Amino acid sequence: MNGCEDKIPSIERWLDGELSGAENDSLRSHVAVCAECSEAQRRLEKLQSTLKAALLSEAQRVDFAPFWRAVQLRVNEKRPWYQEALDSMRRALPAPRVAWVVPAVIVLLLAVVSLESYLPGWRGAGRNAFATVESIDAYGRNVALLREYDTKTTVIWLYQDQEGENEAAEETAPSGPAF
Amino acid sequence: MKLLKKPPLRVLLFSLLALLAVAVTVTAQKQPQNVQVRIGSILASNQSDEFDARLKGLEKQLRVLKYRSYRLLKDESQSVPWQGNRVFEIPGGRSLMVAPQEFQDNRIGLKVRLTDGPKPLLDTTVRISNKGNFILGGPPHEGGVLVLSISAVTQ
């Protein structure tokens, strides 16, 4: 070998007609003066012609009619509406753009959750400021519930009426709610 | 690292990391360890025009009650675990049991029981905003009425 081993792939591409004009001319000139490459060219051409002959003789025996019938059937086949819809959606939203929607939504969700966690009440100061009374049991006593909107105050007020318990008489505080 | 240059793999990896971050944040938000409950015991009366300077932060809320005088008798804070409870001693021999129930949408559910010795005066369940408060008042005390400011903040 004269160091022309790396030329073999180029010779194969040359024989297949895959080389550009300049590469083609350069390799042709080289093969003309290089015995080793000339021999490789001859060997590859022989191999190619043998394969081609074998392929042509075998191809005659193959029946292509069923294959073409199947192809024609597939071409003429009416596709279901959802398949059409999916395809048009795919055309409108190319895959790379859709792929980034998923993490983008997740990041947005993360931002919303984090804001609520680190900046409580960011959605509006007064939105949830009122206390909500879910149940009251004053054991038979009078009870009043007041919600004052200016100060967002919730007041639960226990009071005794005039005929209330004895201890009411001992106190000088007003018996009814003062508000 | 060549694999990371492929867009679908980068997207997948990024999505997984983002999901993990969301899960950690949501879990962290839903499980605060304790609730700091603060009870301010205030005497409201019409015997003077005194307004205790320590109640400055509650002035607007207290003025709703229309008394002339407000004096802070006791201010107590306790850390209460979720599903646990703490008892606060209230002036006049009363006590207030507070039990945090749940934390949802930045609001704290509190079960509150006011007793006078062995006698229960009031049972209530209230949901207040985190760092918010509500007022419980009415029991007579020293010529006026007792007003309790009950506030809670998650820890």
Short mmCIF file of all heavy atoms in Angstrom, two decimals, chain B residues 1-7 9-10:
data_model
loop_
_atom_site.label_atom_id
_atom_site.label_comp_id
_atom_site.label_asym_id
_atom_site.label_seq_id
_atom_site.Cartn_x
_atom_site.Cartn_y
_atom_site.Cartn_z
N MET B 1 -22.40 14.78 27.43
CA MET B 1 -23.18 16.01 27.40
C MET B 1 -23.78 16.28 26.02
O MET B 1 -24.54 17.21 25.84
CB MET B 1 -22.32 17.20 27.82
CG MET B 1 -21.88 17.16 29.28
SD MET B 1 -23.26 16.96 30.44
CE MET B 1 -23.92 18.61 30.40
N LYS B 2 -23.37 15.45 25.04
CA LYS B 2 -23.89 15.65 23.69
C LYS B 2 -25.42 15.52 23.68
O LYS B 2 -26.12 16.22 22.97
CB LYS B 2 -23.29 14.61 22.76
CG LYS B 2 -22.36 15.19 21.73
CD LYS B 2 -21.87 14.10 20.83
CE LYS B 2 -20.98 14.69 19.75
NZ LYS B 2 -20.44 13.64 18.88
N LEU B 3 -25.93 14.60 24.55
CA LEU B 3 -27.37 14.34 24.59
C LEU B 3 -28.16 15.59 24.94
O LEU B 3 -29.26 15.81 24.47
CB LEU B 3 -27.66 13.24 25.62
CG LEU B 3 -27.42 11.81 25.17
CD1 LEU B 3 -27.65 10.87 26.32
CD2 LEU B 3 -28.32 11.43 24.01
N LEU B 4 -27.56 16.42 25.81
CA LEU B 4 -28.27 17.61 26.27
C LEU B 4 -28.48 18.63 25.16
O LEU B 4 -29.26 19.56 25.31
CB LEU B 4 -27.51 18.26 27.43
CG LEU B 4 -27.59 17.51 28.74
CD1 LEU B 4 -26.79 18.21 29.80
CD2 LEU B 4 -29.04 17.39 29.19
N LYS B 5 -27.71 18.49 24.06
CA LYS B 5 -27.86 19.45 22.97
C LYS B 5 -29.12 19.18 22.16
O LYS B 5 -29.55 20.01 21.39
CB LYS B 5 -26.62 19.41 22.08
CG LYS B 5 -25.42 20.05 22.76
CD LYS B 5 -24.19 20.00 21.92
CE LYS B 5 -23.02 20.62 22.68
NZ LYS B 5 -21.76 20.31 22.04
N LYS B 6 -29.71 18.02 22.36
CA LYS B 6 -30.94 17.70 21.62
C LYS B 6 -32.11 18.41 22.30
O LYS B 6 -32.37 18.20 23.47
CB LYS B 6 -31.17 16.19 21.62
CG LYS B 6 -30.14 15.47 20.78
CD LYS B 6 -30.47 14.01 20.70
CE LYS B 6 -29.49 13.31 19.78
NZ LYS B 6 -29.71 11.89 19.69
N PRO B 7 -32.87 19.24 21.57
CA PRO B 7 -33.97 20.01 22.17
C PRO B 7 -34.96 19.20 22.98
O PRO B 7 -35.28 19.58 24.09
CB PRO B 7 -34.62 20.70 20.98
CG PRO B 7 -33.55 20.77 19.95
CD PRO B 7 -32.69 19.56 20.16
N LEU B 9 -34.66 16.51 24.71
CA LEU B 9 -34.08 16.09 25.99
C LEU B 9 -33.92 17.28 26.93
O LEU B 9 -34.14 17.17 28.14
CB LEU B 9 -32.73 15.44 25.75
CG LEU B 9 -32.79 13.95 25.47
CD1 LEU B 9 -31.43 13.39 25.18
CD2 LEU B 9 -33.41 13.21 26.66
N ARG B 10 -33.53 18.42 26.36
CA ARG B 10 -33.39 19.61 27.19
C ARG B 10 -34.74 20.00 27.77
O ARG B 10 -34.85 20.34 28.94
CB ARG B 10 -32.83 20.78 26.35
CG ARG B 10 -31.32 20.80 26.34
CD ARG B 10 -30.80 22.04 25.72
NE ARG B 10 -31.30 22.19 24.36
CZ ARG B 10 -30.86 23.11 23.51
NH1 ARG B 10 -29.94 23.96 23.88
NH2 ARG B 10 -31.35 23.19 22.29
#
